């Protein structure tokens, strides 16, 4: 089988061939390692690559499967973890040279779950330092580069996860999403990124950015793979104080292709905000398609949408600075200056401001929940623009020139504030060949409806089949 | 029946006579109004007295009961509410002249519950301004005075509730407890004060001091009355975001008198802290009595006890200043200077400090919960000293001279941090005739065990029968 075709198979496709022994995990891993070798000089997706360990695990998987011990759909599937997911015996840098020699003694819960499912860890993925930025800069381990155009950002903070997934370096990757860090690189790289409900996926063993906003989630090339990954990642974990005690369904039951009667609300405010008109049109087209498939698409009003930025900024900066305060005392000189600046500024946020922001968050959440009493999903763009130039501090969003961070997080922050599940899926390409993305958000713990709509749209389009030129 | 005897009957006693029509609610209210008239010039327990309204309600209660419409054990019972419990049509000052003309349009949930139970509101009780202090000073409405010695504080912030209850002005009063404001005046006035589990009694319609530490609770003269009051006050309220969804038992089922096999842990650190040795001895004697009744009393270690003050102070000051910030902008000149100072200082607590305190709180809570895996209750003094002089800024606790606020809140703050139920009951008197108090704390939502032990101890002693000299 052609090695590149293996790299572009979904976990859903690969698992069928692995289970039936038509392909061996060793072959799968070798194909991916070759793909990494060919593309990594341009992309720089990995901070730590584990070729020997991955090959050894693949041989064990092959032997187990030959012996009839097939573990399930992720057995033998190549996985990459963002480098803030602790891995026992494998250094975990959080994207900073300060932790260049930090080797955890304990796996994070997500790593344990992937291992127990039989998946194979290819390496630890590059990221914005401490997950504190939406682009994919990293002076310590090198910037990440967008496979559609290496001059452009991958989006961040889970930028290596975005580039590795769309370039066929990994089948499944993980990200963490505090203001959009799963969905932004998913959108700018043209893949599927799911931020699950707050508390549904354990954060044990992950470096926090802002603990009341942090959500780990899967980054994959198909909605089916998001469901397969969630079947492994989701579930209560007593080691995470915010972990929810809820029943976890089989997420693949969402993949019906049927959206008839599904009510999709489109906040009008999303289209009044700074927005590239071509991105806006692509999203409108996607909603028209869903409507033609039987969904009920209607405008709704979300007046507090404009307050997402100040609410999320105050909470995120305060919590990040509280967590990283010791770092500022001991290692300030080694921090990337823009991140040092943000961490230092966060120390000046008063508790009164923080608590006011948390109070405003309650009102914001209430408004979003009220909207979701009348509709099943909220839809709109994931990003107002396509991928910006690397290190660009400003972008042009329609008629508005604005800061890159506020632009890239404009549509993603609301669902960190509310903790609701939100997915980004590709919904077209610009003339320059850059992906557009649709965001769908649902009620807390209603991942099934989010996945159902995303999957139905995906199956009706070919966007997820397009490959970057690298 | 002698009017003073009526005023010193418990709700449990009165209700039997009211139900059997041996006494009328009108007679009960008249007796209490006469007692208030006689004692109020010295005590100053009330900010707003409602004699006409109370008499009118008493007449309706009398008519209802005559007509066979007896509502239950609180029907016709005289109640006073701390003046931060909103009462529709009756001004609610929170102890400050700034709100001298504030007349709520809506009752707080606790007021509704007492009204529906048929109890009769005698008035609104004096308090430390905005509940922000443990003594019972109030320059705007006059200081509160301890019925055992009017030169001494009642304890605060629910000082009027303490003095009104022990002096027979009300049968049942309410307080709110953020760092000890129910248990401190209960201890210094020699009555029973219960701080229920966080979220068990609705805070809707109460002026917050620190929303993550605030607990409304009953202040009464017998443990049976605490159970009767909790039967009315407890329960889920959708109007309070922190209200717990738990089943509420009949609290009078706790009144068995039987403590055999009950495991009572005594943190050794409580006796290493500054403590008047005579208070300590009274508490030891109380624990010996419980042991002789069949309880298993054993020392335990609670190393984080010493951290209660900084944790609780940072959270309390930050939340109080966030809530009252507008007041500082508009009405700073009208604030009592020590409270203004504390509110202004709170604005300088950084979000990082606040969040660190919340993190330490998690560890503190975990330690307390671990202790309560091996024992059923934690016991110790409520206060390290008897009631201090009015306006004294320092007290002598054993060999230690210390600030009045840290002294009076030393043993009470831990259970605001953890949200666990804690009761204060009288356990003796000093040579000067001032009450000592025992504190018993239990597992979250295990008020039954707390009440059971308190009631058994009370029934084996006569302390609750002693009356102040006023």
């Amino acid at each position: 089988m052609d090695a590149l075709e293996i790299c572009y198979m979904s976990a859903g496709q690969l698992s069928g061939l692995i289970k039936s022994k038509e392909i061996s995990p060793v072959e799968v891993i070798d194909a991916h390692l070759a793909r990494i070798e060919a593309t990594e000089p341009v992309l720089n997706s990995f901070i730590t690559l584990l070729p020997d360990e991955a090959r050894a695990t693949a041989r064990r998987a092959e032997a187990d499967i030959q012996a009839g011990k097939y573990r399930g759909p992720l057995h033998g599937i190549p996985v990459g973890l963002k480098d803030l997911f602790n891995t026992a015996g494998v250094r975990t840098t959080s994207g900073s040279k300060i932790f260049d020699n930090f080797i955890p003694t304990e796996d994070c819960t997500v790593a344990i779950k992937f291992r127990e499912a039989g998946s194979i860890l290819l390496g630890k993925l590059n990221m914005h330092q401490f997950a504190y930025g939406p682009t994919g800069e990293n002076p310590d381990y090198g910037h990440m580069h967008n496979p559609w155009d290496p001059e452009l950002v991958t989006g961040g903070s889970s930028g290596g996860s975005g580039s590795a997934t769309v370039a066929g370096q990994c089948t499944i990757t993980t990200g963490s999403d505090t203001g959009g860090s799963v969905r932004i690189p998913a959108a700018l790289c043209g893949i599927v990124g799911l931020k699950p409900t707050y508390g549904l996926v354990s954060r044990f063993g992950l470096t926090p950015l802002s603990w009341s906003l942090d959500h780990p989630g899967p980054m994959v090339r198909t909605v089916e793979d998001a469901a397969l990954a969630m079947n492994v990642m989701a579930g209560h974990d007593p080691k995470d104080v915010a972990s929810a005690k809820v029943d976890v369904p089989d997420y693949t039951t969402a993949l019906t292709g049927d959206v008839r009667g599904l009510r999709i609300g489109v906040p009008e405010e999303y289209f009044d905000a700074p927005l590239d008109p071509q991105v806006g049109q692509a999203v409108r087209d996607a909603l028209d398609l869903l409507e033609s498939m039987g969904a009920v698409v209607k405008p709704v009003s979300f007046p507090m949408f404009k307050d997402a930025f100040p609410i999320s900024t105050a909470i995120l900066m305060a919590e990040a600075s509280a967590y990283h305060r010791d770092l500022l005392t001991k290692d300030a000189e080694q921090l990337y200056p823009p991140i040092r600046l943000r961490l230092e500024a966060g120390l000046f946020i008063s508790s009164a401001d923080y608590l006011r922001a948390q109070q405003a968050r309650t009102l914001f959440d209430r408004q979003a929940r009220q909207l979701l009493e009348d509709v099943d999903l909220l839809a709109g763009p994931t990003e107002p623009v396509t991928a910006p130039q690397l290190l660009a501090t400003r972008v042009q969003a329609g008629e508005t020139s604005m800061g890159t961070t506020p632009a890239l997080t404009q549509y993603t922050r609301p669902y960190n504030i509310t903790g609701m599940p939100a997915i980004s899926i590709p919904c077209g390409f610009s003339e320059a060949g850059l992906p557009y993305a649709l965001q769908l958000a649902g009620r807390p713990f209603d991942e099934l409806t989010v996945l159902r709509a995303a999957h139905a749209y995906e199956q009706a389009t070919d966007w997820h089949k397009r490959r970057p030129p690298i």
Side-chain angles (χ1 to χ4, degrees), chain A residues 249-315:
Chain A
D250 175 356
Y251 292 103
T252 62
T253 61
L255 312 177
T256 62
D258 184 4
V259 291
R260 283 172 300 174
L262 201 69
R263 297 163 305 166
I264 301 178
V266 184
E268 293 178 317
E269 291 80 0
Y270 285 6
F271 291 86
D272 296 333
L275 174 62
D276 178 327
Q278 292 182 297
V279 176
Q281 190 55 51
V283 170
R284 296 270 192 210
D285 291 347
L287 294 169
D288 287 348
L289 178 57
L290 281 164
E291 193 163 35
S292 75
M293 293 164 68
V296 181
V297 178
K298 61 175 189 177
V300 296
S301 179
F302 189 5
M304 281 194 80
F305 164 63
K306 67 177 181 336
D307 303 312
F309 188 79
I311 291 171
S312 143
T313 300
I315 294 169

Side-chain angles (χ1 to χ4, degrees), chain A residues 181-257:
Chain A
S181 284
V182 159
R183 291 161 289 155
I184 297 165
L188 302 187
C189 291
I191 58 168
V192 175
L194 173 65
K195 182 197 79 62
T197 307
Y198 184 76
L200 182 56
V201 173
S202 170
R203 303 164 312 168
F204 175 76
L206 274 64
T207 306
L209 175 58
S210 170
W211 57 84
S212 81
L213 297 165
D214 290 344
H215 303 64
M219 297 171 70
V220 285
R221 289 188 303 268
T222 68
V223 177
E224 183 190 17
D225 281 7
L228 291 172
M230 284 298 289
N231 277 355
V232 168
M233 295 171 78
H236 178 64
D237 180 8
K239 291 192 272 188
D240 176 350
V241 289
S243 178
K245 283 181 188 152
V246 290
D247 290 329
V248 172
D250 175 356
Y251 292 103
T252 62
T253 61
L255 312 177
T256 62

Side-chain angles (χ1 to χ4, degrees), chain A residues 67-97:
Chain A
K69 290 184 248 171
Y70 180 68
R71 295 202 202 173
L74 294 204
H75 203 168
I77 301 297
V79 165
L81 298 177
K82 183 177 184 178
D83 206 23
L84 59 68
F85 287 67
N86 280 352
T87 39
V90 175
R91 70 164 180 175
T92 300
T93 66
S94 300
S96 165
K97 283 283 185 195

Side-chain angles (χ1 to χ4, degrees), chain A residues 3-182:
Chain A
L4 188 60
E5 291 315 303
I6 293 174
C7 295
Y8 271 106
M9 281 183 186
S10 67
Q13 294 170 314
L14 269 180
S15 65
L17 299 172
I18 290 172
K19 185 180 183 185
S20 63
K21 302 169 194 167
E22 289 168 77
I23 192 168
S24 150
V26 174
E27 196 180 345
V28 172
I29 292 301
D30 284 342
H32 283 83
L33 289 171
R35 178 69 178 156
I36 291 167
E37 196 175 347
T39 53
E40 191 61 359
V42 173
L43 299 181
N44 197 29
S45 307
F46 285 86
I47 288 178
T48 302
L49 192 63
L50 302 165
D52 299 339
E53 296 85 341
R55 283 197 185 94
T57 312
R59 284 192 294 273
R60 278 199 302 277
E62 184 187 72
D64 282 351
I65 292 165
Q66 288 294 338
K69 290 184 248 171
Y70 180 68
R71 295 202 202 173
L74 294 204
H75 203 168
I77 301 297
V79 165
L81 298 177
K82 183 177 184 178
D83 206 23
L84 59 68
F85 287 67
N86 280 352
T87 39
V90 175
R91 70 164 180 175
T92 300
T93 66
S94 300
S96 165
K97 283 283 185 195
I98 298 170
F99 293 98
D100 198 46
N101 297 311
F102 172 59
I103 298 178
T105 54
E106 198 179 358
D107 272 323
C108 67
T109 298
V110 167
I112 292 170
K113 284 171 171 267
F114 273 118
R115 185 157 35 74
E116 288 177 348
S119 65
I120 297 170
L121 182 63
L122 278 177
K124 304 296 293 291
L125 295 160
N126 205 347
M127 54 181 284
H128 211 99
Q129 288 189 357
F130 302 109
Y132 209 169
T135 52
E137 302 160 32
N138 192 325
D140 285 2
Y141 295 105
H143 301 315
M144 288 143 269
H145 297 269
N146 194 311
W148 300 95
D149 178 348
E151 299 295 308
L152 308 181
V153 301
T154 53
S157 63
S158 316
S161 306
S163 57
T165 304
V166 76
Q169 294 181 329
C170 296
T171 312
I172 296 174
T173 63
T174 63
S176 56
D177 189 316
T178 307
S181 284
V182 159

Side-chain angles (χ1 to χ4, degrees), chain A residues 363-381:
Chain A
L363 302 177
F364 187 98
D365 182 54
R366 202 172 289 165
Q367 191 165 97
R369 281 172 192 252
Q370 271 169 357
L371 288 177
L372 284 166
E373 285 174 9
D374 291 329
V375 294
D376 302 303
L377 293 170
L378 295 174

Side-chain angles (χ1 to χ4, degrees), chain A residues 148 165-166 183-194 220-223 279 282-283 285-287 289-290 380-383 423-430 434-440 453-467:
Chain A
W148 300 95
T165 304
V166 76
R183 291 161 289 155
I184 297 165
L188 302 187
C189 291
I191 58 168
V192 175
L194 173 65
V220 285
R221 289 188 303 268
T222 68
V223 177
V279 176
V283 170
D285 291 347
L287 294 169
L289 178 57
L290 281 164
T382 310
E383 291 303 326
I423 201 166
S424 179
I425 53 171
C427 74
F429 283 84
S430 72
L434 300 175
Y436 297 140
L438 170 70
Q439 179 174 228
L440 299 166
H455 175 256
Y457 173 79
E458 176 192 74
Q459 294 304 304
T461 61
D462 283 330
W463 308 123
H464 62 292
K465 295 178 184 161
R466 204 183 282 202
R467 296 180 189 174

